[in-house]
Amino acid sequence: MKLERLRGRKIVSRVQQKGILWKGKHLQARYIYGHPRHPAVRTDRPGVFVGTLGSTKLSKSAVERNRMRRRTREALRTSLKAMPDFPTVQLLILPRSSSLSCPFAEIQTDISALLTFLHARSPKKA
C-alpha cells in the first residue's frame, strides 16, 4: 500500500472540518474513508492519504515542526507495512507538543493504535 500526500487547501480543510476525531497520547488525527476529490488522484488503487498539521502553537521553530512531520510520516510508513489490506483513508495528523520530546517508539505506538482503530472501523464491502 502506498503512502500518499494529502494535497490541496480545500481537501485538507474538508478533512479538518468533516473528519472524525481520534485522540492518542501524543497526537490527534482526523480521518475520512475514501479517496480525496482531486484530479491527480488515481481511484483505481487503494492508498492512505496523509497530511500533517503542525502550527506555530506546536513549536515556534520550523525545524522542530518539520522534524515532527517527518517522524509521524515515518512511523506511519513502517506501521502500514504490517497491514497489507488497509482501507483507503484520508488522514490529517495533528501532533501535540509532547510529541516533540517523546521517543520515536511512543509515536509508533500511537500510530499503530490509530491504524488498528481505523482498520477495525473500516466500511465493509459486500
Side-chain angles (χ1 to χ4, degrees):
M1 166 139 332
K2 189 153 185 200
L3 193 64
E4 309 256 353
R5 297 283 173 101
L6 201 61
R7 49 186 153 163
R9 178 185 50 84
K10 288 183 179 180
I11 294 172
V12 171
S13 65
R14 181 175 175 263
V15 174
Q16 192 173 9
Q17 291 172 359
K18 298 185 187 250
I20 302 167
L21 181 67
W22 177 88
K23 291 183 180 183
K25 185 176 179 182
H26 296 290
L27 56 93
Q28 297 178 354
R30 291 199 173 266
Y31 64 93
I32 296 176
Y33 289 103
H35 291 87
R37 295 180 192 152
H38 193 276
V41 172
R42 291 182 56 183
T43 58
D44 59 338
R45 62 179 182 202
V48 176
F49 298 87
V50 180
T52 53
L53 191 75
S55 69
T56 53
K57 287 175 85 175
L58 179 66
S59 173
K60 297 289 183 202
S61 170
V63 172
E64 290 179 356
R65 291 193 309 269
N66 290 337
R67 183 179 300 133
M68 190 60 245
R69 288 184 184 109
R70 287 191 305 269
R71 289 176 79 189
T72 53
R73 272 197 309 267
E74 179 63 20
L76 212 94
R77 187 187 67 78
T78 56
S79 296
L80 268 176
K81 283 184 177 180
M83 300 180 158
D85 59 337
F86 200 75
T88 301
V89 67
Q90 302 171 49
L91 273 176
L92 187 62
I93 297 178
L94 310 147
R96 293 185 180 156
S97 58
S98 65
S99 62
L100 293 169
S101 59
C102 75
F104 183 71
E106 290 187 18
I107 295 174
Q108 267 188 320
T109 305
D110 262 5
I111 293 288
S112 295
L114 169 66
L115 292 179
T116 51
F117 174 80
L118 290 174
H119 189 62
R121 297 210 19 159
S122 69
K124 307 292 184 214
K125 292 184 179 177

